[in-house]
Amino acid sequence: MVAENGNKPRVLSGIQPSGNLTIGNYLGALKQWVEVQNDYDCFYCVVDLHAITVAQDPAELRRKTRESAAMYIAAGIDPEISTVFVQSHVPAHSELAWILTCMAPLGWLHRMTQFKDKSAKQSQDSIGAGLLNYPSLMAADILLYHADLVPVGDDQNQHLEFTRDLAQRFNHLYGETFTLPSVMNPQAGARIMGLDNPTAKMSKSEASENHAIFLLDDLSRAQKKVMRAVTDSHREIRFSDDPERAGVNNLLTIYQAITNETQEVIEAAFADKGYGDLKRTVADVVVGTLEPLQARYYELMNEAGYLDSVLKIGQEKAADIAQDTLKLAQKRMGFLAPS
Ligand code: ATP
Ligand code: LTN
């Protein structure tokens, strides 16, 4: 039975099944998703249509899509309370995305830093048009559900601004249709950096060995990655925005995001400690986070049919709402309704 959350404000968010989920995805997104699920009517989506904006192997995509959904639940999303579904199972996402693509000014799209970063990594000829139009699809995800709040890491803030601007544009041209969503970033952990390169955001599709801690990493491997994290030649352990000290700042940020302690308390606790102590302590809290999560993950992956039934219920609930919004947008734009 899915709970009736009719009167609560709505939340929507998603993660791409473009690789194995990282501790960055957990601290920047999933942890907040869990924290808000009792107070909001939450929709959590595995955004496979976004993942194909860069090339994906079909068998891997299918596997990663199930794995990501299972990881949402393992992280603490309760499918009895929140709606968990796969983006491509609800065709309204693609349909509204086309409408929004037609309304999105190219200038806005070209200004998106995620597009600039991702397109810089590919040759001009291999960049698909979907990478540029990515934010219009994300806007469709959010606007279809009249989401009030979107919990994400801070790399997505520009896409949220874009969503609001596009919704406003539509509402202005065709009449009030969409709710303007607000962004929600975690207090700590909104941007976890790569362990091997603490000036670049930790990302699940980055290939290098010691870059990311994956949520399904073997525990001793996760521990080793923390112990090998890049630091600096200073000694003091404190939060800092000096790029030279980004490695230590990142380890402290991971610690803060997991423990929810204040910066003052953390700095005081490490006042007479060395970098080795810091790394050991961070490795411990990371392992303490991964261990129960992995146990739940393997348990539910072994439960035949469970995940598919969650996704089916999620699809039905999501499609009901999305279809109504899509119809309204189509009507406002002047599409002839089928008789
Ligand atoms: P990819 O490498 O395929 O682009 P990604 O690891 O950046 O993927 P996304 O699927 O783009 O992950 O992001 C899903 C959610 O996780 C978003 O809310 C995003 O802001 C958040 N997130 C991703 N990486 C980090 C990070 N390093 N720190 C904090 N939040 C993050
Ligand atoms: N673009 C996001 C993933 C995403 C998303 C969404 C997040 C797609 N649709 C809707 C929040 C709401 C990213 O993290 N790269």
Side-chain angles (χ1 to χ4, degrees), residues 13-326:
S13 198
I15 298 179
Q16 305 176 74
S18 46
N20 297 313
L21 268 55
T22 71
I23 194 128
N25 297 132
Y26 176 74
L27 297 174
L30 281 172
K31 188 166 177 272
Q32 300 190 84
W33 296 7
V34 176
E35 284 162 5
V36 298
Q37 72 177 335
N38 289 314
D39 299 325
Y40 292 85
D41 182 18
C42 297
F43 286 74
Y44 297 127
C45 162
V46 180
V47 290
D48 52 352
L49 298 169
H50 278 102
I52 63 159
T53 54
V54 298
Q56 303 291 338
D57 173 76
E60 277 288 285
L61 179 63
R62 220 171 345 261
R63 192 168 64 79
K64 293 276 185 308
T65 301
R66 295 187 91 248
E67 278 181 13
S68 302
M71 198 49 92
Y72 292 5
I73 301 167
I77 302 300
D78 179 351
E80 303 268 323
I81 300 175
S82 302
T83 306
V84 177
F85 69 105
V86 176
Q87 184 187 34
S88 66
H89 291 179
V90 181
H93 288 250
S94 302
E95 295 181 64
L96 184 61
W98 174 250
I99 292 175
L100 297 177
T101 293
C102 293
M103 298 189 57
L106 270 183
W108 295 6
L109 292 166
H110 277 289
R111 276 198 288 279
M112 295 293 126
T113 53
Q114 183 177 294
F115 172 70
K116 289 194 246 181
D117 290 350
K118 291 204 171 182
S119 57
K121 290 184 187 158
Q122 297 182 46
S123 74
Q124 201 62 24
D125 282 345
S126 60
I127 302 166
L131 197 61
L132 182 66
N133 287 322
Y134 180 114
S136 306
L137 176 60
M138 178 162 163
D141 299 341
I142 297 167
L143 300 177
L144 278 173
Y145 299 89
H146 302 290
D148 300 287
L149 207 61
V150 182
V152 281
D154 72 4
D155 61 315
Q156 295 304 310
N157 292 2
Q158 195 186 27
H159 287 159
L160 253 295
E161 269 309 305
F162 172 93
T163 300
R164 288 174 62 91
D165 290 346
L166 206 54
Q168 241 161 345
R169 195 180 167 97
F170 189 104
N171 288 349
H172 177 73
L173 289 170
Y174 302 110
E176 279 305 309
T177 307
F178 298 124
T179 303
L180 300 193
S182 299
V183 70
M184 179 189 185
N185 297 136
Q187 289 200 339
R191 183 174 295 241
I192 302 297
M193 310 307 276
L195 296 179
D196 59 343
N197 173 9
T199 56
K201 187 191 79 124
M202 183 184 285
S203 140
K204 67 171 113 65
S205 51
E206 172 63 57
S208 59
E209 173 65 18
N210 287 320
H211 172 80
I213 296 171
F214 296 111
L215 297 177
L216 290 178
D217 265 348
D218 180 75
L219 298 178
S220 65
R221 191 178 157 91
Q223 197 165 25
K224 279 202 194 90
K225 286 181 181 174
V226 177
M227 296 310 291
R228 288 183 189 148
V230 168
T231 51
D232 54 53
S233 54
H234 297 263
R235 299 173 67 90
E236 261 186 322
I237 299 179
R238 55 181 171 75
F239 288 90
S240 156
D241 51 18
D242 178 354
E244 220 195 287
R245 313 213 55 200
V248 169
N249 188 67
N250 192 38
L251 290 172
L252 286 169
T253 303
I254 293 173
Y255 184 79
Q256 186 189 12
I258 292 176
T259 61
N260 297 322
E261 285 171 6
T262 64
Q263 295 198 350
E264 292 69 29
V265 167
I266 294 170
E267 286 180 348
F270 286 109
D272 50 6
K273 301 275 170 46
Y275 286 178
D277 300 312
L278 171 65
K279 286 181 171 178
R280 271 187 293 279
T281 312
V282 172
D284 282 351
V285 295
V286 165
V287 166
T289 304
L290 299 192
E291 205 169 14
L293 201 144
Q294 293 183 1
R296 282 196 297 272
Y297 174 85
Y298 290 115
E299 200 180 307
L300 70 92
M301 282 304 251
N302 282 331
E303 208 177 314
Y306 172 70
L307 190 61
D308 298 315
S309 80
V310 166
L311 294 178
K312 187 168 189 318
I313 293 169
Q315 174 203 1
E316 285 163 3
K317 189 158 175 236
D320 267 359
I321 297 168
Q323 195 56 32
D324 282 354
T325 314
L326 175 67

